Amino acid sequence: MSNVLGVANSAATSQAPSSSNPGSLGQMNQNQFLQLLVAQMQYQNPMQPMSSSTFMQELAQFTTVEQMISMQSEMQNVQQASQLGTAASLIGKTVSYTDGSGKAAQGVVSAVVLSGGSVSLKVGGYSVPLGQVTGVGG
């Protein structure tokens, strides 16, 4: 059984997601989980195979991982929709914001732009990330 754990540990280590991946929080994704499960089954001792209850526990864990990934994706969609709604309500209004050089500026919002998953406002020809808005006027 220690051989299985060694193989499982090396499979998890060699397949660990990089921390530079924005979607990864250093956690195992579903493909890595399946690879680990297959490696465990492949290298198990035929004289002492994995018990059915252990196998069922691991399948339940896999299902949980899948559901968590799905829920995270849905939460990101809800958050993005909320930001879009907030940004859309600012069209035609004067906003104060911090520009790229750190200076305070203001202007009228003419459009909302969704690019690469982030929401920004079009203000006087500039793209202003929603997080840089510091105030809203009439």
Side-chain angles (χ1 to χ4, degrees):
M1 192 63 146
S2 63
N3 187 22
V4 172
L5 293 176
V7 169
N9 286 336
S10 67
T13 304
S14 67
Q15 298 296 323
S18 69
S19 60
S20 64
N21 182 353
S24 118
L25 300 173
Q27 297 175 347
M28 187 179 297
N29 68 27
Q30 68 189 66
N31 287 336
Q32 293 164 336
F33 187 87
L34 278 175
Q35 288 174 347
L36 184 61
L37 184 61
V38 168
Q40 246 183 335
M41 292 179 71
Q42 185 177 10
Y43 292 103
Q44 72 179 335
N45 182 348
M47 302 307 263
Q48 295 176 341
M50 182 186 307
S51 72
S52 60
S53 63
T54 303
F55 185 72
M56 292 304 290
Q57 286 174 341
E58 290 185 6
L59 285 178
Q61 288 173 347
F62 176 69
T63 302
T64 302
V65 168
E66 281 186 314
Q67 289 172 348
M68 287 173 53
I69 290 169
S70 174
M71 188 168 43
Q72 179 184 15
S73 175
E74 287 183 34
M75 291 298 291
Q76 288 172 343
N77 290 341
V78 167
Q79 182 182 17
Q80 191 174 51
S82 174
Q83 288 177 345
L84 277 172
T86 299
S89 71
L90 297 175
I91 293 177
K93 295 188 178 178
T94 302
V95 294
S96 301
Y97 61 94
T98 306
D99 68 9
S101 63
K103 295 181 183 176
Q106 68 178 24
V108 177
V109 178
S110 61
V112 174
V113 178
L114 175 63
S115 176
S118 62
V119 178
S120 57
L121 307 173
K122 200 72 155 169
V123 180
Y126 295 103
S127 182
V128 178
L130 193 57
Q132 290 181 349
V133 174
T134 57
V136 179

